[in-house]
Amino acid sequence: MDTHIPVTADGTAGYFTYARERAAQLRRAAQARLCVLDARMRTLAEEPEEGAATAEYAVVLVAATGFAALLVTLLKSSTVKTLLTNIVKQALTIA
């Protein structure tokens, strides 16, 4: 049976040294992968909030534009013009 035994610098068999080095390598690799995963999760968590805020602003702008158009239409009607004119005339005659 041909088994590879790692050897330390002083020439002795280094099972524990090899195991320690291998564990350190695995730890570094796992930490690097976890950092990438953390960055991905943070990116995914941030994007929907920004998009939701943009969508909310768009809905508010559309609603405000619709309300403004409704007010302009109402104020241009002859009934509202007459009503406002009568209010102004009454205010001027009292003063």
Side-chain angles (χ1 to χ4, degrees):
M1 185 175 211
D2 187 23
T3 305
H4 175 69
I5 300 174
V7 178
T8 60
D10 61 357
T12 59
Y15 282 115
F16 292 112
T17 304
Y18 174 76
R20 232 182 333 229
E21 289 173 0
R22 182 70 178 137
Q25 289 174 352
L26 291 173
R27 192 178 318 113
R28 285 190 296 269
Q31 186 176 9
R33 288 181 182 160
L34 283 173
C35 286
V36 170
L37 179 64
D38 181 52
R40 285 183 187 167
M41 293 303 290
R42 288 176 188 260
T43 301
L44 291 174
E46 291 296 323
E47 289 175 1
E49 292 177 8
E50 291 174 4
T54 304
E56 289 168 2
Y57 287 128
V59 168
V60 168
L61 287 174
V62 168
T65 304
F67 185 68
L70 180 66
L71 283 177
V72 167
T73 304
L74 286 175
L75 292 176
K76 283 187 174 183
S77 70
S78 61
T79 307
V80 175
K81 282 183 185 177
T82 306
L83 181 64
L84 291 175
T85 305
N86 289 339
I87 292 172
V88 171
K89 285 180 181 178
Q90 286 179 359
L92 292 175
T93 57
I94 293 174

